[in-house]
Amino acid sequence: MNNEHELIYEGKAKKVFSHDDADKVIIEFKDDATAFNALKKAKFEGKGKLNCLISSRIFEILKNENIPTHFIALKNENTIIAQKIKIIPLEIVLRNTAYGSLCRQTTIRSGTDLVKPLIDIYLKNDELNDPLITKDRIELMNIISSKELDLIIGLTLKINVILKNFFKNIQLKLVDFKLEFGYDFQNNMVLGDEISPDNCRLWDLNQNSDTIVSLDKDRFRNDLGGLIEAYSEINRRINDFI
Ligand code: TMP
Ligand code: ASP
């Protein structure tokens, strides 16, 4: 990024820069990967570019389905132009299949397909280790109103239907994903952040055996190796399909 654009914020996987237009930002996707609240860190050359391309495609699909998002356009391989938004400090996780923390925290068996999608909401706060939060606690903390929470939940369920179908078309099972929402300059609620194999679990359906083949950040979380190969495969399938 050149000097004209000021670094506004640096997160674990992205950098946000100012844009000439005050209502917009430039978001750069980094090659860094973290897991377990950054207890585990690594760099994967090319991850930023792959996530940027994958996320841009997915946001285009969601925009076409009338989901309000911050995404404006792909700028180059690892940067996008987006609306500047005020992020709501909640991480909205939707699960179609039980895996990860749901199975560590309950007696539900890994790989169980859920009768209906489960939405788990976490407080976005690294110091507190992003704890699971309740509706009542969200209200108590005045994070958002219950009406706004219902809006977020409705959008998340709608996004799930769109994404599940899309990924099924490219032989991927959408196990779960994490979303973040925010307000744009007109105070509209929009989907922010990214949708990529960093924050979705995607299992390969092109497998003969019953073994789970993760094509997402679990390759890093669980030391499976082949992260770039997995992300490249997803990018390839998306490009071949669109
Ligand atoms: P979990 O099973 O670890 O709770 O993760 C559920 C989904 O949310 C999975 O697709 C990974 C994603 N996720 C994030 O994007 N960021 C996070 O900080 C965490 C914990 C999970
Ligand atoms: N994003 C989280 C972290 O930074 C964890 C995860 O994705 O598993 O550490």
Side-chain angles (χ1 to χ4, degrees):
M1 199 59 47
N2 62 42
N3 315 328
E4 293 163 45
H5 300 290
E6 182 201 344
L7 179 66
I8 304 172
Y9 169 81
E10 179 161 5
K12 285 178 277 201
K14 290 186 287 296
K15 287 182 184 173
V16 180
F17 295 90
S18 64
H19 185 276
D20 296 341
D21 185 341
D23 298 335
K24 296 178 184 156
V25 288
I26 298 167
I27 303 177
E28 184 184 306
F29 288 65
K30 304 197 293 186
D31 285 342
D32 303 85
T34 62
F36 313 112
N37 201 12
L39 278 180
K40 196 167 166 177
K41 286 187 203 170
K43 222 180 176 92
F44 295 92
E45 206 185 321
K47 181 180 82 79
K49 174 184 139 185
L50 286 162
N51 277 350
C52 181
L53 296 173
I54 293 167
S55 187
S56 297
R57 290 289 199 191
I58 293 172
F59 271 79
E60 278 164 8
I61 292 165
L62 294 176
K63 275 181 94 168
N64 286 339
E65 299 281 345
N66 297 318
I67 301 290
T69 86
H70 72 151
F71 180 78
I72 297 173
L74 188 64
K75 186 173 190 289
N76 60 42
E77 282 187 333
N78 64 346
T79 54
I80 60 163
I81 299 171
Q83 288 185 62
K84 188 177 194 168
I85 62 170
K86 191 166 160 268
I87 280 279
I88 296 163
L90 295 175
E91 301 201 347
I92 318 294
V93 169
L94 184 145
R95 303 175 192 272
N96 291 307
T97 302
Y99 208 66
S101 70
L102 176 62
C103 300
R104 288 196 298 273
Q105 295 166 358
T106 68
T107 53
I108 303 168
R109 280 187 51 199
S110 250
T112 308
D113 286 320
L114 305 177
V115 182
K116 62 177 182 126
L118 172 72
I119 294 186
D120 281 335
I121 305 181
Y122 299 84
L123 180 67
K124 188 174 157 71
N125 184 316
D126 284 342
E127 277 169 35
L128 296 176
N129 218 356
D130 295 349
L132 189 62
I133 192 170
T134 62
K135 278 188 178 192
D136 286 348
R137 286 187 186 189
I138 292 171
E139 222 171 292
L140 183 69
M141 291 177 71
N142 272 323
I143 300 176
I144 45 171
S145 68
S146 62
K147 212 171 136 199
E148 287 168 313
L149 186 58
D150 287 346
L151 177 62
I152 286 181
I153 291 172
L155 282 169
T156 303
L157 290 168
K158 213 166 146 190
I159 290 166
N160 182 47
V161 173
I162 300 165
L163 294 186
K164 233 168 78 169
N165 280 330
F166 173 71
F167 283 122
K168 202 168 162 209
N169 282 327
I170 56 171
Q171 297 300 303
L172 293 168
K173 175 169 173 155
L174 180 61
V175 171
D176 56 29
F177 56 89
K178 186 263 297 181
L179 302 178
E180 293 183 24
F181 291 86
Y183 301 102
D184 69 7
F185 70 105
Q186 287 171 318
N187 236 14
N188 296 313
M189 175 87 70
V190 302
L191 175 68
D193 194 39
E194 66 182 282
I195 299 183
S196 74
D198 265 15
N199 55 6
C200 296
R201 283 200 173 95
L202 295 163
W203 293 351
D204 194 4
L205 293 171
N206 272 349
Q207 296 288 328
N208 298 322
S209 71
D210 279 345
T211 47
I212 293 166
V213 176
S214 300
L215 296 178
D216 54 58
K217 203 165 90 175
D218 275 347
R219 302 218 68 87
F220 168 62
R221 293 188 189 100
N222 303 336
D223 297 315
L224 300 170
L227 179 135
I228 290 296
E229 290 78 358
Y231 286 31
S232 302
E233 175 64 14
I234 290 176
N235 190 41
R236 187 190 64 74
R237 287 192 201 178
I238 292 176
N239 286 329
D240 286 354
F241 182 75
I242 291 176

